[in-house]
Amino acid sequence: MSLIGTEVKPFKAQAYHNGKFIEVTEADFKGKWSVVFFYPADFTFVCPTELEDLQNNYETLKSLGVEVYAVSTDTHYTHKAWHDSSETIKKITYVMIGDPSHTLSRNFDVLIEADGLADRGTFIIDPDGVIQAVEINAGNIGRDANVLINKIKAAQYVRNNPDEVCPAKWKEGAATLKPSLDLVGKI
Amino acid sequence: MSLIGTEVKPFKAQAYHNGKFIEVTEADFKGKWSVVFFYPADFTFVCPTELEDLQNNYETLKSLGVEVYAVSTDTHYTHKAWHDSSETIKKITYVMIGDPSHTLSRNFDVLIEADGLADRGTFIIDPDGVIQAVEINAGNIGRDANVLINKIKAAQYVRNNPDEVCPAKWKEGAATLKPSLDLVGKI
Amino acid sequence: MSLIGTEVKPFKAQAYHNGKFIEVTEADFKGKWSVVFFYPADFTFVCPTELEDLQNNYETLKSLGVEVYAVSTDTHYTHKAWHDSSETIKKITYVMIGDPSHTLSRNFDVLIEADGLADRGTFIIDPDGVIQAVEINAGNIGRDANVLINKIKAAQYVRNNPDEVCPAKWKEGAATLKPSLDLVGKI
Amino acid sequence: MSLIGTEVKPFKAQAYHNGKFIEVTEADFKGKWSVVFFYPADFTFVCPTELEDLQNNYETLKSLGVEVYAVSTDTHYTHKAWHDSSETIKKITYVMIGDPSHTLSRNFDVLIEADGLADRGTFIIDPDGVIQAVEINAGNIGRDANVLINKIKAAQYVRNNPDEVCPAKWKEGAATLKPSLDLVGKI
Amino acid sequence: MSLIGTEVKPFKAQAYHNGKFIEVTEADFKGKWSVVFFYPADFTFVCPTELEDLQNNYETLKSLGVEVYAVSTDTHYTHKAWHDSSETIKKITYVMIGDPSHTLSRNFDVLIEADGLADRGTFIIDPDGVIQAVEINAGNIGRDANVLINKIKAAQYVRNNPDEVCPAKWKEGAATLKPSLDLVGKI
Amino acid sequence: MSLIGTEVKPFKAQAYHNGKFIEVTEADFKGKWSVVFFYPADFTFVCPTELEDLQNNYETLKSLGVEVYAVSTDTHYTHKAWHDSSETIKKITYVMIGDPSHTLSRNFDVLIEADGLADRGTFIIDPDGVIQAVEINAGNIGRDANVLINKIKAAQYVRNNPDEVCPAKWKEGAATLKPSLDLVGKI
Amino acid sequence: MSLIGTEVKPFKAQAYHNGKFIEVTEADFKGKWSVVFFYPADFTFVCPTELEDLQNNYETLKSLGVEVYAVSTDTHYTHKAWHDSSETIKKITYVMIGDPSHTLSRNFDVLIEADGLADRGTFIIDPDGVIQAVEINAGNIGRDANVLINKIKAAQYVRNNPDEVCPAKWKEGAATLKPSLDLVGKI
Amino acid sequence: MSLIGTEVKPFKAQAYHNGKFIEVTEADFKGKWSVVFFYPADFTFVCPTELEDLQNNYETLKSLGVEVYAVSTDTHYTHKAWHDSSETIKKITYVMIGDPSHTLSRNFDVLIEADGLADRGTFIIDPDGVIQAVEINAGNIGRDANVLINKIKAAQYVRNNPDEVCPAKWKEGAATLKPSLDLVGKI
Amino acid sequence: MSLIGTEVKPFKAQAYHNGKFIEVTEADFKGKWSVVFFYPADFTFVCPTELEDLQNNYETLKSLGVEVYAVSTDTHYTHKAWHDSSETIKKITYVMIGDPSHTLSRNFDVLIEADGLADRGTFIIDPDGVIQAVEINAGNIGRDANVLINKIKAAQYVRNNPDEVCPAKWKEGAATLKPSLDLVGKI
Amino acid sequence: MSLIGTEVKPFKAQAYHNGKFIEVTEADFKGKWSVVFFYPADFTFVCPTELEDLQNNYETLKSLGVEVYAVSTDTHYTHKAWHDSSETIKKITYVMIGDPSHTLSRNFDVLIEADGLADRGTFIIDPDGVIQAVEINAGNIGRDANVLINKIKAAQYVRNNPDEVCPAKWKEGAATLKPSLDLVGKI
């Protein structure tokens, strides 16, 4: 059984956010959409391009009512240091959670035990704190924030229109399907 | 721990393929790239649009050396019947696996026990039978074959160029990164 | 110990019935006679002839106060699709239960685990929800609705005349036996 | 899971047969068709009519290559005594197994533990010792040997013609179905 | 530890008694002396001579306030049939309990599991339902009712004269011993 | 299940026999008939009369090829002392086993745990070391050696004539029964 | 951990005392000093000399407020018999407990399981029922009542003068030591 | 079960002996008689008088072939220090074992867990390393070396004359008893 | 996980302090700073120099509000004896705890089980009874009280100034660091 | 029991060392002295002063044949980044191990599970890979490299002169103690 449809498990973590250290818990995932974006480690190679891509789309995400949480098993101190020293990371304005205790990485089933690092996993969480989409790539394959945004829009549309479904390749504004008995076997 | 980096578990299943019933096992995943594409049920609503989208890109996928296996907990008889009766499904030329015993759905952790149906999960598997990417959406959100193809290309590039990494939004032909100690903290 | 004399276990299932999707539970088995009629899979070979035979006798069964529930591990969507596409199945007006979660098939001990399909089992259930007769055939042997009806009549006669017994080959209207001490060893 | 498709478990029992006491084991079920016919108790009411009905059809069954084994939890001594004293039972020429140790009744899942008596269960066993059909009725409902014979004929036909299936109500000589992919969804 | 001095365990059984079927429970053993007389099977060889011997002494036993219960693992139906057909058994007027469920045979530790038959055991039970004497013989050795009666008389004498003991070979009317400290080592 | 038909369990014990201390083991029970005769305690009341009665019949028993072993949980020292001081016990010439470790009393299931004393149990053992008859009386009821001798004669007759059975009240020289199918239900 | 300082465990035993049979329990050990004196068996060799020695000092022991309990795994009947027949034991006026159930021997950890006999153990118990001294000798070594009396006097002195200690070889009336910090390392 | 008759368990300990530190193991107990003499603690009150008493008799003990081992849970360093500072202990020439690891105190069942100190226990060990006598006193009661010597002489006499026993109060040179069957019950 | 940050576990011990025996428990560690100073054994070699060094600094430690507890597995009697006989130890005025039961040594994880001695461990405990620093040396390496005092001063400074940290080599009066977000990565 | 005297457990880790990433295992601890120096996290406050202090003494340590391994649960990537960005850390030339999998922190019992960070622990390891000294401070208390060097010198002296011990406050060149029996209690 996948994590789809399950509620985020309790946790408490320190994060770096806009020049401050803050605490984040599962309560922060209630009442708005969230993206939890795991990556293996600060100061590595794919990671900054993915995080930059996410930042470049952060305004769009915020306009959709989505908060973004990047997570690695590094500390929040290291997140700040990376933020201070990297031109790329410096631009980031979303939350960067430190997970040195592996709690979040275990809760989302992305901890690589032997390495103490997280898989490259993205989770879309609805305002009830329930996971709606999962995406995990092997170590050296980057993710695409546009793809993520499309998926969030579909998830939001489905939540707001519970009797409609988003077909493949659905983009905002495109037609949806209204399931009805008559359609069974007709499509 | 996710399924990323693990080998596909043994299974034996009946499938419908181009007018015939065939047997598929984990051995079929060795020596070429595979996509295993779970969907909840035949004769439902999001499913055919997703399957059609996949078919529309099947030639591209084949040119990349990728075989496609769609899987639901329906029987291969039902797959054939759907194929016969639906204009959309009639076009499909890739393999449609029946999983009424839930074996594959359990192996890939996508079985919803209470319903006996699979989550909407996509798995990219390399020629060693090892899972390289996972994507799972909640019930009513469709997938996009273009996104899948981009991810496969990145996975193939990384496999063929083990000392390079594909950054975020990487598209075929775009620049990659060569990890080196000098780059640490420089990006 | 067989299931004879035991009460039907709790379940909740989706079914196709006369152009609608309905929910069926064990509560539906109280207060009237029921036949639960398992078959392996939609769109297969023996099955439609058995189901048609049952439909042909459905009026008789209803006149005896009996409701009929056909069950396979297919979904109710597939049941509808079969209903729509098969000349034979189109005629069916009794309830067709989908059991993709295997709950009912397990409750009645007819699930073939390796296949995820049900044995060809028929169960006669009295108005207390208690199983009075079981019949199970190997895969390719069809059942006969007349035989079923005779058995139901005998079961009903015995229930209404608790101090009589139906001898072998008993048909409605035939003589029954009144067990008495004097008969012991006399027949 | 039902007993259909499983091999008869090992046992050793004493039986009364044509004026002699003989031993019967599971080995006797190999190489010919067998009917194992459980009934609750000697010197009771439904039982003799069922046993007589079976005897009346014993020649037919033998001509089909079928041996018949009636079984109750009485001893073989009691079987002989019943045979000696009852006009009905005196006619019986098939094997009457005594099962006071409950071994066979447990092996075939028909023992009513609280009573130490067997359910009214019939089992058709093929020449490999594998169970092909099961029928069990609640206490006061008799069985019909004609129904049994029809079922045996269907089972034999299917065994001899492994690529055909017997539809519902199939009688000897009637048409069978040859499953083929083209028929899927066509019936 | 033997069963001597222990109370009879609860049971419920059907019995044949003077042309009627009655129910017997452990409550019937309270308030009078009882003999429980196990034998292997109806319609066998030693058994009827033992049962006849018991019947010949039944008046004496009744005059001593003793009820007799013969028990085999046969049913009460078989007991009646034996009673009807055997010149010897026809004379019996004490209770014949059927124990096809093996409950009583297990309670008195005389069940031969492999055979489903009882050992040839006799139990003398006092009016408190407590076992005072046990005798068990291997299969082909008969018992003697006179010996039983002598033992009951001794048991009754001891119960009525709690400060006396019956020496070996004690017969009714013979001298008993009054245990006293002075006798220790003197006999 | 009773001890009837089971082999005597291994033990090693000290005994008093004709002015000497000897060791007795289960090996002594092979190759001849044995009587093991438990009694509660030396220097008590019923016991010496029982032991005297046994001694009075010891010649007869020996002529039947039977050795006698009296057993209590007293030591062999106490057996000798009793032998020395009691006019009755002085006459005894059979073996008196001491069982202070309770081994034999436990092996024959006659130990009263709370008291550390044995029930008044007699066991007849055949030349294979297998128990053929058991008799146990509550504390104050004596046994009768004549009864024992009759039972041994029956047991020996049955062993020597395996196809005959001794009916009730059988005495040496009396007729036996030859079980045959024709006799079933005839006696 | 030894039994020193632990309270005597509950027990109930029969004993021979001055021509009577009495019951003894752990309650008898409260309110006065007790000696529990185990020996292997009545009618053996070291034992009577030890018991006689104890009797010769019984008046002295009683004058010290001490009751004496001799214990073996023999019965109280055997104790009486030994008392009656032995010139030595006849003199004994203290309590002789029978322990055939091994309860006391187990409570005081002196049971030799393989033999069912007690070790030659002496226990001094204070008026609170707490064990103050233990002495156990191998089988053939006798004990000395004078040594026992000296030890009891020392134990009584210490109990009455809790701030003094009895040095080695202390005899009644001799000097004791008053422990004080100044003495540490000074003796 | 007591330690009487059991072999000393393996151990390795440091000891102070005549101005040297030596190692002692269970092997040292083989081939000669040993006394193991536990006491609670160095620099306490009863202890030195006991140890001095033992030293005063050490020549006698040595002449009997006995080695003496005093043991407390103190270290061998503390033993030396006590030896150096105490006029009493300075005289000691036997072995003083340090048992700070509690190994020996546990092996001889004299450790008081709550205190980490040993009970005041004396053990006589024969040349096979088998314990022949145990004596344990509560905390403030001293022991007497004369008593110990008498017991060792009796133990040695019994070992050298296995067919004789030392009666109570036996002193060297006194008569012993030769157990024989004739003596049973005669003493 | 180390003991740092954990509260001292409950214990009760006897100690020698300024010519008296006193009891010490974990309650004594509340309300002031404590040093618990384990050493292997009294009357050994490194130990007295370490204990003397500690005494030489005891006034300083007391002026810092610190109580000192030296602990070995010796008894408090031995501590007194050492104090009496050693010129070095005589000077000691802090508490010397005896731990023969190994309770404290186990609580602080410094017991060497095989030897029954403590490792050379020092623990600094704050006024809440919480361990703030641990130092353990192998057997023959001495500790330095100056180092201990510096560490206590740093611990006290940190406790009194919770928002400052003591850098490496910090000595009383030296500058501390005030952690602030701005300093991250700046030092 | 502490880690003193135990061998370092197996591990494999990535480290940053002089501009390269290297692998370190327990094998690297054999054949030379090692210091393993845990600290909580890169980019924090006490840590850099401690690490700088260690670097300032690194030449001295190397001249003593000691290699230094600093360890935190950060990755080796983060170590490099800290090295690149901090003036203090830039100077470091010893090995900086990354322990994101917590393996080493667990092996040395310094992992704070709730935080995923290591305690501030220092371990001195001899050329056999055996731990000789442990020092752990609570979070905000720095360590002093001079103290460490003194302790290493003492450990080396003791290893090279196994029959001498280093007293408290021992500094290189100072007198040591030669333990001898005569010294016991003399210091």
Side-chain angles (χ1 to χ4, degrees), chain E residues 47-57 88 91-92 94:
Chain E
C47 304
T49 71
E50 287 193 324
L51 295 173
E52 180 180 38
D53 181 32
L54 204 54
Q55 177 61 33
N56 292 343
N57 288 279
T88 306
K91 293 182 253 172
I92 289 175
Y94 50 74

Side-chain angles (χ1 to χ4, degrees), chain C residues 2-184:
Chain C
S2 74
L3 289 174
I4 294 291
T6 67
E7 205 169 327
V8 169
K9 292 183 196 149
F11 71 96
K12 186 185 293 186
Q14 301 302 313
Y16 176 75
H17 193 211
N18 290 332
K20 297 214 189 91
F21 287 157
I22 64 167
E23 189 175 278
V24 182
T25 75
E26 79 282 2
D28 293 298
F29 291 176
K30 297 288 176 66
K32 62 177 162 44
W33 289 80
S34 311
V35 165
V36 179
F37 192 90
F38 287 93
Y39 63 96
D42 289 0
F43 298 105
T44 50
F45 311 106
V46 187
C47 304
T49 72
E50 288 192 326
L51 295 173
E52 181 180 36
D53 181 33
L54 205 55
Q55 177 63 31
N56 291 343
N57 290 278
Y58 187 39
E59 281 310 309
T60 307
L61 284 159
K62 281 205 289 193
S63 72
L64 292 169
V66 180
E67 185 50 278
V68 174
Y69 302 88
V71 188
S72 76
T73 58
D74 293 291
T75 63
H76 54 299
Y77 298 113
T78 295
H79 286 346
K80 178 184 184 306
W82 198 21
H83 193 270
D84 288 354
S85 68
S86 158
E87 288 308 307
T88 306
I89 303 304
K90 195 163 290 173
K91 294 182 254 174
I92 290 176
T93 56
Y94 49 74
V95 182
M96 298 183 75
I97 294 178
D99 187 35
S101 72
H102 303 170
T103 307
L104 265 173
S105 306
R106 280 213 178 82
N107 283 359
F108 284 88
D109 280 353
V110 292
L111 182 66
I112 307 169
E113 296 277 352
D115 298 341
L117 306 181
D119 275 318
R120 214 169 278 278
T122 313
F123 297 82
I124 301 174
I125 299 165
D126 74 14
D128 295 327
V130 173
I131 298 169
Q132 294 296 334
V134 176
E135 181 185 359
I136 317 179
N137 287 357
N140 289 329
I141 309 168
R143 285 160 287 184
D144 182 338
N146 289 344
V147 170
L148 176 63
I149 286 170
N150 283 340
K151 212 180 290 184
I152 291 169
K153 283 180 179 168
Q156 290 182 335
Y157 190 92
V158 165
R159 183 176 170 94
N160 295 329
N161 302 277
D163 54 350
E164 302 182 26
V165 301
C166 294
K169 276 197 170 47
W170 184 88
K171 298 287 185 309
E172 198 185 9
T176 60
L177 296 169
K178 283 212 183 228
S180 77
L181 195 59
D182 298 342
L183 279 177
V184 169

Side-chain angles (χ1 to χ4, degrees), chain D residues 7-169:
Chain D
E7 207 169 325
V8 169
K9 293 182 194 149
F11 71 97
K12 186 185 293 187
Q14 301 301 313
Y16 176 75
H17 192 210
N18 290 332
K20 295 213 189 92
F21 287 155
I22 62 168
E23 189 175 278
V24 182
T25 74
E26 78 284 1
D28 294 300
F29 291 176
K30 296 289 177 66
K32 62 174 163 43
W33 288 81
S34 310
V35 165
V36 178
F37 193 90
F38 288 92
Y39 62 96
D42 289 1
F43 298 106
T44 50
F45 311 107
V46 187
C47 304
T49 72
E50 287 192 324
L51 295 172
E52 180 181 38
D53 181 32
L54 204 53
Q55 177 62 31
N56 292 342
N57 290 278
Y58 187 40
E59 282 311 310
T60 307
L61 285 159
K62 281 204 289 193
S63 71
L64 293 169
V66 181
E67 186 49 278
V68 174
Y69 302 89
V71 188
S72 76
T73 58
D74 293 291
T75 64
H76 53 300
Y77 298 113
T78 295
H79 286 346
K80 178 186 185 306
W82 198 21
H83 192 270
D84 289 354
S85 68
S86 158
E87 288 309 309
T88 306
I89 302 304
K90 194 163 293 174
K91 294 180 254 172
I92 290 176
T93 57
Y94 50 75
V95 183
M96 298 183 76
I97 295 178
D99 187 33
S101 72
H102 302 171
T103 306
L104 265 174
S105 305
R106 278 212 179 84
N107 283 0
F108 284 87
D109 282 351
V110 293
L111 182 67
I112 307 169
E113 296 276 354
D115 297 342
L117 306 181
D119 275 318
R120 212 169 279 277
T122 312
F123 297 81
I124 301 174
I125 299 165
D126 73 16
D128 294 325
V130 172
I131 298 169
Q132 294 296 334
V134 177
E135 181 185 358
I136 314 176
N137 287 356
N140 289 329
I141 310 170
R143 284 160 287 184
D144 183 337
N146 289 344
V147 170
L148 176 63
I149 287 170
N150 282 340
K151 214 179 291 185
I152 291 168
K153 285 179 178 168
Q156 291 183 333
Y157 191 92
V158 165
R159 184 176 170 92
N160 294 331
N161 303 275
D163 53 349
E164 302 181 27
V165 301
C166 295
K169 277 198 168 49

Side-chain angles (χ1 to χ4, degrees), chain G residues 5-8 25-36 61-62 64-67 69 123-133 151-161, chain H residues 138 141:
Chain G
T6 68
E7 204 168 329
V8 169
T25 74
E26 79 282 1
D28 294 299
F29 291 175
K30 296 289 176 66
K32 61 176 162 45
W33 288 80
S34 311
V35 164
V36 178
L61 285 158
K62 281 206 289 196
L64 292 169
V66 179
E67 185 50 278
Y69 302 89
F123 296 82
I124 301 174
I125 298 165
D126 73 16
D128 295 326
V130 172
I131 298 170
Q132 293 296 334
K151 213 179 291 186
I152 291 169
K153 283 180 179 168
Q156 290 182 336
Y157 190 92
V158 165
R159 182 176 171 93
N160 295 329
N161 301 276
Chain H
I141 310 169

Side-chain angles (χ1 to χ4, degrees), chain H residues 102-127:
Chain H
H102 302 170
T103 305
L104 265 173
S105 306
R106 278 213 179 83
N107 283 0
F108 284 87
D109 281 351
V110 293
L111 182 67
I112 307 169
E113 296 276 353
D115 297 342
L117 306 181
D119 274 319
R120 214 170 278 278
T122 312
F123 297 82
I124 300 174
I125 299 165
D126 73 15

Side-chain angles (χ1 to χ4, degrees), chain E residues 2 53 86 119 151 169 187, chain F residues 2 53 86 119 135 169 187:
Chain E
S2 75
D53 181 32
S86 158
D119 275 317
K151 212 180 292 184
K169 276 197 171 45
I187 314 176
Chain F
S2 75
D53 180 32
S86 157
D119 275 318
E135 181 186 359
K169 276 196 169 48
I187 314 174

Side-chain angles (χ1 to χ4, degrees), chain G residues 1-13 24-30 36 38 71 97 99 102-111 123 125-126 128-131, chain H residues 1:
Chain G
M1 196 168 168
S2 74
L3 288 174
I4 294 291
T6 68
E7 204 168 329
V8 169
K9 291 183 196 149
F11 71 96
K12 186 185 294 187
V24 182
T25 74
E26 79 282 1
D28 294 299
F29 291 175
K30 296 289 176 66
V36 178
F38 287 93
V71 187
I97 295 178
D99 187 34
H102 303 169
T103 306
L104 265 173
S105 305
R106 280 214 178 82
N107 283 359
F108 283 87
D109 280 352
V110 293
L111 182 67
F123 296 82
I125 298 165
D126 73 16
D128 295 326
V130 172
I131 298 170
Chain H
M1 198 167 170

Side-chain angles (χ1 to χ4, degrees), chain A residues 130-181:
Chain A
V130 172
I131 298 170
Q132 294 296 335
V134 176
E135 181 185 358
I136 316 178
N137 287 356
N140 289 329
I141 309 168
R143 286 161 286 183
D144 183 338
N146 289 343
V147 170
L148 176 63
I149 287 170
N150 283 339
K151 213 180 290 185
I152 291 169
K153 283 179 179 167
Q156 291 183 334
Y157 190 93
V158 165
R159 184 176 169 93
N160 295 329
N161 302 276
D163 54 349
E164 301 181 28
V165 301
C166 295
K169 276 197 172 47
W170 184 88
K171 297 288 185 308
E172 199 186 5
T176 60
L177 295 169
K178 284 212 182 227
S180 77
L181 195 60

